[in-house]
Amino acid sequence: MFTTKLARLQGTLPLDLFAAIEDLKTELNAVILAHYYQDPDIQDIADFIGDSLQLARAAAQTNADVIVFAGVHFMAETAKILNPDKLVLLPDLNAGCSLADSCPPDQFAAFKAAHPDHLVISYINCSAEIKAMSDIICTSSNAVKIVQQIPKEQPIIFAPDRNLGRYVMQQTGRDMLLWQGSCVVHETFSERKIVELKTTHPEAEAIAHPECETSVLRHASYIGSTAALLNYCQKSPSHEFIVATEPGIIHQMQKLAPGKHFIPAPPENNCNCNECPFMRLNTLEKLYLAMKNRTPEITMSEDIRLAALKPMQRMLEMSV
Ligand code: SF4
């Protein structure tokens, strides 16, 4: 923070970053897409805020020449897969994802080869290489709907998130072969502390993202994607919620449901492990610099892009 203030005083960063970013947006014909888990400042400057599915749709529809993706690497890659001719910028190239990283392409290729009769459905939280090895991509918003459309006799591999896979199995009654990946953030929530919170806030409704473990999901009265959670807390008659997903979403919850109270579900240890460390690598300053310098840019081979595009298109067709 001190370094940023110093940089502004020394003139390496503009004093009004918001105004400077707006100017660059016009100059570049750029659109800023931001995930709900980003810092409030980034959410406030974004042209579009959403979860993975909404952002993929927005990326597919934009007329901008430049997409500035305020999210993590696999999300910006998704935008590039859908927009090969556009410049796609990610403010910090190190903004990865523990879930995507839990599915290394070489190991997944061997896993897939061992089950040649299986259809591969991959959660969008995976690298372009994994997408390229998949038959259909899904998000937490449409995973159940997509699996329900697959003929019952067709065996399925579901990757990379075992928690979402388990949740989809419960919802659809389908048996699936699960890749054992997970998200460090969604596995950090403490069942014990959520139960304690429910005791001290008896009126509060617990709501959770399906990337959470079953032990946490069982205490939730509503389970859904980030967009679905946002929608639910506006419609629910409850005034207080315990929110078991990345707490960045609470900024939008407070904006869209003013007067309601949102309690972030706590991690087991007294740390900030419920905040995604990868999402937090993107800052307003880095976003400005990425636009000013037109870098870091997302690139990939055309072979991978075309192979990854097919299952993405299938998802968009199957989730209308
Ligand atoms: S919250 Fe988890 S799944 Fe989402 S970007 Fe962070 S590490 Fe990946």
Side-chain angles (χ1 to χ4, degrees):
M1 189 60 81
F2 175 74
T3 320
T4 303
K5 277 188 184 154
L6 193 63
R8 287 186 188 179
L9 288 172
Q10 288 173 338
T12 47
L13 283 175
L15 285 176
D16 187 344
L17 270 179
F18 282 93
I21 290 169
E22 288 296 346
D23 288 347
L24 281 169
K25 252 199 252 181
T26 310
E27 186 186 323
L28 299 177
N29 185 25
V31 66
I32 300 177
L33 308 181
H35 193 272
Y36 287 125
Y37 296 167
Q38 290 287 278
D39 280 343
D41 275 354
I42 294 182
Q43 291 189 35
D44 290 344
I45 194 97
D47 298 293
F48 190 87
I49 314 165
D51 65 4
S52 302
L53 178 61
Q54 293 170 320
L55 292 173
R57 285 213 172 102
Q61 288 163 4
T62 184
N63 292 321
D65 296 318
V66 176
I67 298 174
V68 186
F69 210 107
V72 293
H73 194 270
F74 76 81
M75 298 177 178
E77 267 187 346
T78 304
K80 186 67 182 178
I81 290 166
L82 296 166
N83 294 281
D85 299 330
K86 296 188 196 299
L87 175 67
V88 178
L89 300 171
L90 180 66
D92 190 324
L93 267 192
N94 292 319
C97 167
S98 66
L99 177 52
D101 291 348
S102 69
C103 194
D106 54 339
Q107 291 175 28
F108 189 69
F111 182 69
K112 187 184 157 182
H115 306 282
D117 56 336
H118 282 55
L119 183 91
V120 178
I121 302 183
S122 296
Y123 184 29
I124 199 164
N125 295 29
C126 63
S127 64
E129 286 90 343
I130 299 297
K131 287 185 177 75
M133 284 186 249
S134 306
D135 296 297
I136 311 171
I137 300 301
C138 71
T139 69
S140 51
S141 305
N142 61 25
V144 169
K145 191 174 172 182
I146 283 177
V147 170
Q148 279 169 337
Q149 293 175 62
I150 308 301
K152 290 224 163 16
E153 59 285 0
Q154 171 63 59
I156 298 172
I157 287 176
F158 189 91
D161 188 25
R162 63 181 174 207
N163 291 321
L164 178 62
R166 222 177 276 131
Y167 172 73
V168 173
M169 281 167 63
Q170 281 166 4
Q171 296 298 305
T172 60
R174 290 292 292 264
D175 197 19
M176 301 193 295
L177 190 56
L178 304 182
W179 179 264
Q180 295 298 310
S182 62
C183 155
V184 283
V185 177
H186 286 89
E187 287 215 323
T188 201
F189 298 116
S190 160
E191 179 188 13
R192 181 179 59 82
K193 290 189 181 173
I194 290 173
V195 172
E196 278 172 16
L197 270 176
K198 286 181 90 168
T199 313
T200 51
H201 296 76
E203 303 295 319
E205 247 194 282
I207 57 175
H209 192 282
E211 280 177 38
C212 295
E213 291 185 307
T214 310
S215 58
V216 166
L217 294 182
R218 80 164 73 102
H219 298 286
S221 56
Y222 182 78
I223 298 166
S225 66
T226 35
L229 295 178
L230 192 55
N231 193 31
Y232 180 78
C233 69
Q234 293 172 72
K235 288 189 180 151
S236 164
S238 300
H239 288 279
E240 200 169 34
F241 299 87
I242 299 163
V243 183
T245 191
E246 216 278 354
I249 184 70
I250 291 178
H251 180 61
Q252 287 304 315
M253 288 177 167
Q254 282 166 337
K255 275 176 126 176
L256 295 172
K260 294 194 177 183
H261 183 221
F262 301 97
I263 308 166
E268 187 56 50
N269 302 317
N270 294 326
C271 58
N272 288 338
C273 326
N274 59 346
E275 292 182 2
C276 176
F278 308 103
M279 289 277 183
R280 298 285 184 257
L281 286 176
N282 291 325
T283 61
L284 205 58
E285 291 78 15
K286 288 180 193 170
L287 190 144
Y288 163 77
L289 289 171
M291 293 177 80
K292 183 169 174 252
N293 302 322
R294 280 78 156 157
T295 188
E297 179 188 357
I298 298 291
T299 56
M300 72 189 66
S301 80
E302 189 62 0
D303 286 354
I304 292 282
R305 191 192 73 76
L306 288 173
L309 180 62
K310 260 196 236 163
M312 286 288 307
Q313 284 173 330
R314 277 195 87 185
M315 172 188 80
L316 294 171
E317 287 157 16
M318 291 174 81
S319 57
V320 281

